[in-house]
Amino acid sequence: MEPFQAKIVAAATGSTLTALTMTPFDVVKTRLQTQPPEPRLLFPKPPLNTCCQPTGTIGCVRNMSSLAARSLPAEIVCVWEAGMWKAERVNGPFDAARKVWMAEGARGLWKGVGTTLVIGVPSSTAYILTYDHLLRQVLPSIMSSPTFTPLVAGVAARSAITTLVSPLELIRTNLQSTPLSPGTPHTLRSVLTSIRTLTQTRGVFAMWRGLGATLWRDSTFSGFYWASYEAWKRNFQRRGHDGTWVTFVSGAISGTSAALLTSPFDVLKTRRQALIMSSTNYEMTRTLSLFLQVIRTEGPSALFAGLTPRIIKIAPACGIMISCFEGIGKLLSKPSSS
């Protein structure tokens, strides 16, 4: 197989495998990042046994999500938030995964996987091939720094691909952040209806809102990741280590470090794309306004919401993707013996 064809197959294989195995972590991360903040109450809480439903018609059950209580459809858990009764919150990644599983089944944890495949396979394939071309063919004639070259190649490749797929990313974020409910039993249909309304009222370019925060996240992540990856791989090779495990470990370490660095951008991107569909206040969907609002009302820690599932996802995802690209690519591109 020709080297370029082998790289296409390797990249597509890696991105497909990553999308199929890592989507549940993405769903959990999105739910954590888009749930309302815990309120700073101005009024005292009502009595513990008070129910938010009409008196005498629906009972209250504590320590159970209303969505999870399929066998008890007439009972609901309520918490007091900012002067209003609301459904029970998710508390951490494992609690979020449990409640999604109980409320929506296994399919709920893979919600958006179709859109992820539509986005992920072509975009990841194009992204890594663009990076590889820039790194090996274009940039060496301009710069020779072993650190700066992969950084520039990563930023340029990711910026171009992210801009192209931004509308699909908007759909995926809203699909994963929307739980099932009696009013919206088919979340894909409801999200697509909202997209149509959004474009009719605010124009087609509304589909690219949130791109700024996405570029801050993805371009920064990509530049740091590739510079770190190449450095780790060189470091292993200088010590006489090589092979698939070196590729995997270098990718996983670099992905984890990049995830920690870019977590605030990831939270802002997810919040902004979720707000675009429902917010009537356009100013609150601007990245800077949203950043200041989060800091003021929730504190700096809110910028790291969903970090655990993101790292749990990114570390193996980066390792799998780069191992498939380099390992399968080398295997398929070996000349056949005649």
Side-chain angles (χ1 to χ4, degrees):
M1 185 179 289
E2 292 294 325
F4 182 70
Q5 294 174 334
K7 288 179 180 181
I8 292 176
V9 173
T13 301
S15 57
T16 300
L17 184 60
T18 300
L20 290 175
T21 55
M22 297 297 131
T23 293
F25 300 108
D26 219 21
V27 172
V28 170
K29 173 186 72 71
T30 301
R31 292 289 177 89
L32 286 169
Q33 290 179 346
T34 55
Q35 75 170 344
E38 292 192 54
R40 298 174 182 178
L41 294 176
L42 300 177
F43 306 100
K45 294 182 181 180
L48 288 177
N49 294 325
T50 303
C51 185
C52 61
Q53 300 299 321
T55 306
T57 59
I58 299 179
C60 285
V61 178
R62 299 287 165 182
N63 301 321
M64 183 184 296
S65 168
S66 58
L67 287 175
R70 281 181 164 178
S71 61
L72 304 170
E75 297 173 318
I76 192 168
V77 174
C78 305
V79 293
W80 185 250
E81 284 197 358
M84 296 179 63
W85 281 110
K86 295 190 177 180
E88 184 182 22
R89 297 171 56 82
V90 293
N91 301 303
F94 299 107
D95 186 49
R98 179 179 65 86
K99 287 175 179 172
V100 171
W101 178 282
M102 294 181 69
E104 304 173 41
R107 292 178 61 183
L109 287 172
W110 270 267
K111 182 181 290 183
V113 69
T115 312
T116 301
L117 288 172
V118 171
I119 299 170
V121 174
S123 66
S124 294
T125 301
Y127 160 59
I128 200 166
L129 290 173
T130 302
Y131 166 79
D132 188 69
H133 180 71
L134 290 173
L135 180 71
R136 304 185 189 284
Q137 305 296 327
V138 177
L139 293 179
S141 61
I142 303 173
M143 59 185 69
S144 58
S145 169
T147 300
F148 197 57
T149 301
L151 187 150
V152 173
V155 169
R158 178 52 73 187
S159 297
I161 300 303
T162 296
T163 302
L164 288 175
V165 303
S166 184
L168 290 174
E169 180 68 18
L170 175 67
I171 294 173
R172 184 172 71 107
T173 297
N174 281 274
L175 184 62
Q176 291 182 337
S177 65
T178 307
L180 291 174
S181 68
T184 56
H186 306 291
T187 52
L188 178 58
R189 185 184 304 170
S190 65
V191 168
L192 292 178
T193 300
S194 299
I195 290 286
R196 185 171 63 250
T197 303
L198 178 70
T199 56
Q200 288 173 347
T201 57
R202 303 186 191 178
V204 174
F205 287 107
M207 295 289 289
W208 275 266
R209 287 183 185 168
L211 177 60
T214 306
L215 285 174
W216 272 108
R217 181 196 69 173
D218 288 358
S219 298
T220 304
F221 181 98
S222 183
F224 183 89
Y225 168 79
W226 286 113
S228 175
Y229 169 76
E230 299 292 350
W232 274 102
K233 195 167 70 166
R234 286 195 306 273
N235 192 38
F236 276 117
Q237 289 172 343
R238 280 197 298 267
R239 287 167 170 75
H241 302 297
D242 204 354
T244 303
W245 75 269
V246 168
T247 302
F248 184 93
V249 170
S250 299
I253 293 174
S254 301
T256 300
S257 304
L260 288 169
L261 177 68
T262 59
S263 180
F265 301 129
D266 185 55
V267 172
L268 292 174
K269 168 260 173 191
T270 303
R271 290 275 191 98
R272 189 169 187 227
Q273 289 189 325
L275 277 172
I276 284 169
M277 307 297 270
S278 59
S279 178
T280 56
N281 183 355
Y282 171 70
E283 290 299 321
M284 282 312 300
T285 65
R286 292 183 181 275
T287 302
L288 181 58
S289 300
L290 183 58
F291 171 78
L292 295 175
Q293 174 72 7
V294 170
I295 293 293
R296 184 169 59 252
T297 60
E298 303 173 50
S301 62
L303 293 173
F304 293 88
L307 180 61
T308 299
R310 186 170 184 237
I311 289 179
I312 292 174
K313 169 197 169 183
I314 282 179
C318 288
I320 291 170
M321 183 66 197
I322 194 62
S323 297
C324 286
F325 180 69
E326 295 203 359
I328 296 176
K330 288 178 182 177
L331 181 66
L332 295 179
S333 61
K334 286 182 178 180
S336 58
S337 56
S338 54

